Amino acid sequence: QPADPVQLPPQSAPVVVRGGTTVMTVSGRANFTNLFINEARAGYHLLFTSPGLIPVHSTTFAVTLGPLFALSVARQPVGGSGGRPLATQPQVVFLDQGTNLLNITMSCLFSLSPPAPVFGSSLVSSGGWCNFTDLLVPTAGNYSLVISATGTLNVTTVSFTTVVGPGVVLRLEQEPSLTTTGGVA
């Protein structure tokens, strides 16, 4: 007897079941082995259908948050003038494999690519976010920030440009002589 396909119908809710949502029956059984749902929450159930058969609902289940999987740049930096904070400071979020925000506490560290001085405060995340507020690049150039979480993962921002800013400090290049001849300095 030919095998009938068993499938999950298209989702009407914003949550999507991914993986092999259609399988062929073998000896009257449908074995789904790679289904997954990204969004962590409770109250899910699956509806299985096959042409000519009565649909079957699974028991209700929950999808829980997974372990830290990735850092993602939620707000990209925008450059500015050397010696001043970046015009737009970056934000980084901690995500599990399903792209769910993880409310974890970790240090956020930063460096520049290509290597160059960068100043500002390293942060400890709050609610799964690292919101930088005072990063500045003192030299003109094209850079990307490399942001890492306690050395486990890192993410690189888009490229940004810093330019030479207006003068903010006077520096004396040569001191006057301690002795002078009348009218000559």
Side-chain angles (χ1 to χ4, degrees):
Q1 129 184 20
D4 291 323
V6 175
Q7 65 182 14
L8 292 167
Q11 302 293 310
S12 59
V15 175
V16 177
V17 175
R18 300 192 187 278
T21 58
T22 300
V23 297
M24 299 304 287
T25 58
V26 176
S27 299
R29 293 182 182 262
N31 188 16
F32 292 86
T33 58
N34 63 347
L35 297 178
F36 64 95
I37 297 173
N38 284 346
E39 188 176 333
R41 70 175 186 207
Y44 288 115
H45 74 273
L46 300 175
L47 173 65
F48 298 91
T49 64
S50 183
L53 299 176
I54 298 171
V56 175
H57 289 268
S58 72
T59 58
T60 302
F61 62 94
V63 173
T64 59
L65 293 172
L68 177 61
F69 180 76
L71 302 178
S72 179
V73 180
R75 183 175 61 214
Q76 295 287 346
V78 173
S81 57
R84 299 188 182 222
L86 296 175
T88 300
Q89 298 284 321
Q91 286 181 326
V92 175
V93 295
F94 297 95
L95 303 174
D96 71 2
Q97 193 168 1
T99 67
N100 295 290
L101 178 67
L102 297 174
N103 186 1
I104 58 176
T105 302
M106 293 187 102
S107 294
C108 292
L109 311 171
F110 55 88
S111 62
L112 280 181
S113 176
V118 59
F119 302 101
S121 302
S122 294
L123 301 173
V124 174
S125 65
S126 174
W129 292 80
C130 276
N131 296 302
F132 292 94
T133 59
D134 63 350
L135 298 182
L136 78 90
V137 179
T139 53
N142 292 316
Y143 303 101
S144 293
L145 279 165
V146 178
I147 301 171
S148 63
T150 318
T152 57
L153 298 170
N154 65 48
V155 64
T156 301
T157 68
V158 297
S159 175
F160 60 90
T161 301
T162 55
V163 296
V164 174
V168 292
V169 175
L170 293 177
R171 182 175 65 195
L172 189 57
E173 290 287 325
Q174 182 177 349
E175 293 285 342
S177 171
L178 295 176
T179 57
T180 59
T181 304
V184 178

